[in-house]
Amino acid sequence: MAATGKITITVEVTINAPIEKVWTLFNSPAHITQWNAASDDWHAPYAEIDFREGGKLICTMAAKDGSAGFDFTATYHKIIHHNLIEYTLDDGRKVSIRFSRHNEQVTVAETFDAESTHSIELQHQGWQAILNNFKKYVEAH
């Protein structure tokens, strides 16, 4: 429980790749569209980033069959190269992403404010699945 009374959730993966590669693939729109999905029946057909403090992140997430979709939008408020990204989603929730180096591995840990529509378990599973897809993408790329 955060001091604000909001529930926060943390997901993480350890990736077998150097920080430079992890950072680049995590923050490049061309790559985000390749890995940002929680399941095989969803995808991210569009991503746009103004990667600077005060800049915007926009990523369209959609069912491949066209039955559902939404824009994941946020404003960056802190970026520390190869270490930390913090942004606020347009609904006011905060997200913090830490990149920790361990030799030729990088642990990526995302902590985010939970929303009230879906269960904590479902949110954890969805964000973890996306991060797992990122790990697979980086290690195969």
Side-chain angles (χ1 to χ4, degrees), residues 54-104:
K56 295 287 280 181
L57 161 66
I58 302 166
C59 182
T60 300
M61 302 179 84
K64 289 180 179 177
D65 67 5
S67 63
F70 63 93
D71 284 338
F72 183 91
T73 57
T75 302
Y76 294 103
H77 56 87
K78 188 170 189 177
I79 299 171
I80 301 174
H81 190 69
H82 290 174
N83 188 309
L84 176 71
I85 300 168
E86 293 180 348
Y87 57 76
T88 302
L89 297 167
D90 283 358
D91 66 7
R93 294 182 296 133
K94 307 284 188 199
V95 178
S96 177
I97 307 159
R98 294 204 173 273
F99 298 78
S100 305
R101 293 181 242 198
H102 314 281
N103 299 318
E104 285 299 305

Side-chain angles (χ1 to χ4, degrees), residues 83-140:
N83 188 309
L84 176 71
I85 300 168
E86 293 180 348
Y87 57 76
T88 302
L89 297 167
D90 283 358
D91 66 7
R93 294 182 296 133
K94 307 284 188 199
V95 178
S96 177
I97 307 159
R98 294 204 173 273
F99 298 78
S100 305
R101 293 181 242 198
H102 314 281
N103 299 318
E104 285 299 305
Q105 293 183 319
V106 177
T107 298
V108 180
E110 292 184 311
T111 300
F112 60 96
D113 292 339
E115 43 94 352
S116 60
T117 305
H118 300 94
S119 72
I120 299 302
E121 181 179 334
L122 186 61
Q123 292 176 71
H124 184 277
Q125 289 172 352
W127 284 61
Q128 185 67 57
I130 292 169
L131 208 49
N132 291 346
N133 281 343
F134 177 65
K135 172 186 170 67
K136 284 187 251 176
Y137 180 75
V138 172
E139 291 178 353

Side-chain angles (χ1 to χ4, degrees), residues 39-51:
S39 64
D40 290 339
D41 53 345
W42 278 71
H43 66 149
Y46 176 80
E48 180 181 329
I49 295 178
D50 180 6
F51 194 58

